[in-house]
Amino acid sequence: MQLHLTEEQQMMKKMVQDFAADRVAAATPHMEATDEFPHELIRSMGELGLMGIPIPENYGGSGMDFTSYITAIHEISKVNPAVGVILSVHTSVGTNPILYFGSEAQKEKYVPKLASGEYVGAFALTEPGAGSDAKAMKTTAVKDGEAYVLNGSKVFITNGGAADTYIVFAKTNPAAGAKGVTAFIVEKDTPGFQVGKKEKKMGLRGSNTTELIFEDARVPEENRLGEEGEGFKIAMANLDAGRIGIAAQSLGIAEGALEAATAYADERKQFGKPIGEQQGVAFKLADMATAVEASRLLTYQAAGLRDHGRTTVKEASMAKLYASKTAVETAIEAVQVFGGYGFTTEYPVERFFRDAKVCEIYEGTNEIQKHVISRELLQD
Ligand code: CAA
C-alpha cells in the first residue's frame, strides 16, 4: 500500500532507505558480533539530519514533521531495529522533553547538540521496583542550595553509557505519588552519577541497555526540567510520541521479516515447486502481509494525527500494541518459512525474531497499552 506521503516525506523515505541499505546494513555484522554502540553510524546520521528530524530548524533540527521522523525509524528498523530504537529513544524521549518542557536557556544549551547528533539523548524512568508502575519510583532528589542531590538507581536505560544527556525522573516529594515526581536533565559527567551494569540481551545488539546509579549526584537547579511535581506528566506526555516510534520500529521488523520470507518462499523449491505456491506457506504469507498493512495504517495514522496537533494517547497505544504483536508473530512465521535456514545467522529472520520481543515490553508493556486504551475508551 502506498500511503499518501507528501513529496518531502517521500524524499526522506528514499534518503533513509538508501542510507539503511548502505550504511546501516554495513554496520550490522559488527554490532551483532560485538554488541558495541555504533557511534560512527550515529555521527553519520547526525550529519544527514536524522538525529533531529522533527526538531525545528531554529534549534538545529531538520524542521520536518512527525510522519517524516516515523518514516525514518520504520525504514531503518527494516534493516536493523537496534539502530531504530537508538534513534527513537534519542528523539522522542531524549530530546523532545527539553524542547516541549524546557526553559529557553535549556533549549538553547541542549537541543541543537542533540538535534545534530553531537549529543546522544536518553530517558531514565524505570527502576528495579518501578516498571509498569512508574510512579512507584524510589530515586529521590533533595534540594540543597543551588542544586538537587539525587540518590537511587535506574534500570533498562536505552542508550545508557552512550548518551551525553539523560532525562531523569526522581521524587522531590515522596509522599505525593505521581505529583511528587520531578524531571531533570543530567549530564553524563555529573559528579555522583555513573553508568552501571550493561545488560546482555536476547536481541537488539549494539543498542545499549544499562543501569544508572546516583550517589549524592549534584544536579544544578538550572537543570530541573519544568516545575517540581511536573515530572510524571512530562514522562507520560513524551511516552505518547515515543510509543509511535516503537510502533514504527515494530513495523520495520515485521515488514523486513515479511519481505525476506516472501523472497525466500518464491525461490526455495520443495516437492517440485516454490514453497510459496504451497498453501501452508502461501496462507502464512497472506496472514503476515495483512497484519503488516494493519500495523502500517495504525502507525501512520497516529503519526498523522500528531502532525495535525491532536493528542494521540489512545492511538499511540493502539499502534504500539498491534505493531509489536505483529512484529513478534511475523518474525516467528518468517523463521518457519525459512525452515532450518531460518534458525541460522545466515538470514536476517533469526535476528528479527530476537529483536522483536522487546517491542511488546518496553515503552510500556502491551498489558499497559491495553490499560491505557481501555481507560481512554471509558473516559470518552
Ligand atoms: N499525558 C499527560 N499526562 C498524563 C498522561 C499522558 N498521556 N497519562 C497520565 N497523565 C497524568 C495524569 O493525568 C495524572 O495527573 P493528574 O493526577 O493531575 O490528573 C498523572 O499523570 C498520574 O497518572 P495516572 O493516575 O494515570 O497514573 P497511573 O499510575 O494510574 O498509571 C500508567 C499510569 C499509564 C500505568 C503509567 O505508569 C505507565 O505508562 N506505565 C508504563 C511505564 C512505561 O511506559 N515505561 C517506559 C519506560 S521508557 C522506555 O521503555 C524506553 C525504551 O527503552 C525503549
Side-chain angles (χ1 to χ4, degrees):
M1 178 216 159
Q2 185 58 58
L3 283 154
H4 297 291
L5 297 179
T6 63
E7 204 175 314
E8 199 183 22
Q9 290 162 350
Q10 299 269 18
M11 278 167 61
M12 165 61 74
K13 184 179 165 96
K14 176 77 178 77
M15 189 261 272
V16 177
Q17 276 176 338
D18 292 346
F19 179 80
D22 178 15
R23 299 292 309 279
V24 177
T28 298
H30 186 77
M31 289 172 70
E32 279 300 303
T34 64
D35 199 19
E36 280 173 17
F37 187 88
H39 287 285
E40 195 53 47
L41 184 72
I42 296 301
R43 259 191 293 281
S44 307
M45 285 168 61
E47 281 160 19
L48 285 174
L50 298 179
M51 299 305 280
I53 298 170
I55 309 301
E57 283 170 318
N58 58 324
Y59 290 112
S62 299
M64 298 180 79
D65 58 13
F66 195 79
T67 300
S68 302
Y69 161 61
I70 285 305
T71 304
I73 298 174
H74 169 193
E75 293 299 334
I76 285 174
S77 300
K78 262 175 86 171
V79 176
N80 187 338
V83 182
V85 76
I86 292 170
L87 174 61
S88 181
V89 166
H90 163 84
T91 313
S92 302
V93 289
T95 307
N96 278 350
I98 307 178
L99 183 67
Y100 294 134
F101 295 94
S103 65
E104 197 47 48
Q106 289 169 340
K107 289 193 229 183
E108 280 171 17
K109 182 169 178 191
Y110 294 110
V111 176
K113 288 192 166 116
L114 287 158
S116 68
E118 182 187 338
Y119 277 13
V120 171
F123 178 86
L125 180 69
T126 303
E127 296 188 2
S132 292
D133 187 6
K135 68 172 184 272
M137 69 181 68
K138 292 270 185 281
T139 298
T140 53
V142 177
K143 187 85 188 295
D144 180 28
E146 302 286 280
Y148 286 86
V149 180
L150 270 63
N151 278 289
S153 69
K154 299 283 174 181
V155 288
F156 304 137
I157 305 308
T158 299
N159 295 345
D164 299 273
T165 52
Y166 297 81
I167 308 298
V168 176
F169 299 87
K171 288 256 173 89
T172 42
N173 182 356
K179 287 188 170 61
V181 176
T182 301
F184 298 91
I185 305 165
V186 177
E187 296 193 16
K188 67 174 178 189
D189 296 327
T190 301
F193 166 61
Q194 54 172 311
V195 175
K197 173 174 74 117
K198 179 176 164 183
E199 301 295 342
K200 290 188 180 142
K201 308 193 298 292
M202 176 196 283
L204 293 184
R205 293 178 66 80
S207 153
N208 283 13
T209 306
T210 72
E211 184 185 15
L212 304 180
I213 300 160
F214 302 87
E215 283 172 336
D216 291 332
R218 285 188 77 79
V219 178
E221 186 178 3
E222 68 204 34
N223 278 28
R224 189 188 69 220
L225 192 58
E227 297 301 321
E228 278 194 17
E230 269 187 4
F232 199 73
K233 282 194 179 181
I234 294 176
M236 291 298 120
N238 286 288
L239 281 170
D240 287 344
R243 287 168 182 163
I244 308 175
I246 301 305
Q249 185 207 15
S250 306
L251 172 62
I253 294 172
E255 203 174 80
L258 171 66
E259 285 182 8
T262 307
Y264 185 76
D266 209 21
E267 148 208 317
R268 167 81 171 169
K269 290 197 175 80
Q270 290 288 280
F271 304 105
K273 59 180 179 179
I275 59 171
E277 287 177 25
Q278 305 182 39
Q279 206 174 60
V281 172
F283 279 17
K284 271 192 203 310
L285 296 176
D287 285 339
M288 290 155 76
T290 305
V292 166
E293 284 306 317
S295 301
R296 189 195 320 275
L297 293 171
L298 284 170
T299 303
Y300 279 87
Q301 172 186 254
L305 286 171
R306 275 198 90 78
D307 281 330
H308 284 90
R310 298 266 300 276
T311 53
T312 54
V313 177
K314 184 176 68 184
E315 291 78 5
S317 285
M318 285 177 164
K320 198 266 191 197
L321 169 68
Y322 193 82
S324 62
K325 188 166 166 281
T326 300
V328 170
E329 289 172 358
T330 306
I332 290 173
E333 289 295 61
V335 170
Q336 192 69 16
V337 170
F338 274 83
Y341 293 108
F343 201 61
T344 71
T345 55
E346 198 179 331
Y347 292 96
V349 288
E350 70 82 33
R351 181 164 52 82
F352 286 133
F353 179 95
R354 290 184 289 104
D355 289 350
K357 183 59 198 170
V358 76
C359 298
E360 293 190 311
I361 297 170
Y362 58 25
E363 297 226 2
T365 62
N366 281 4
E367 291 74 17
I368 287 293
Q369 307 311 325
K370 289 182 189 179
H371 166 72
V372 171
I373 295 163
S374 56
R375 202 166 62 170
E376 289 289 311
L377 287 175
L378 294 165
Q379 272 170 12
D380 278 351

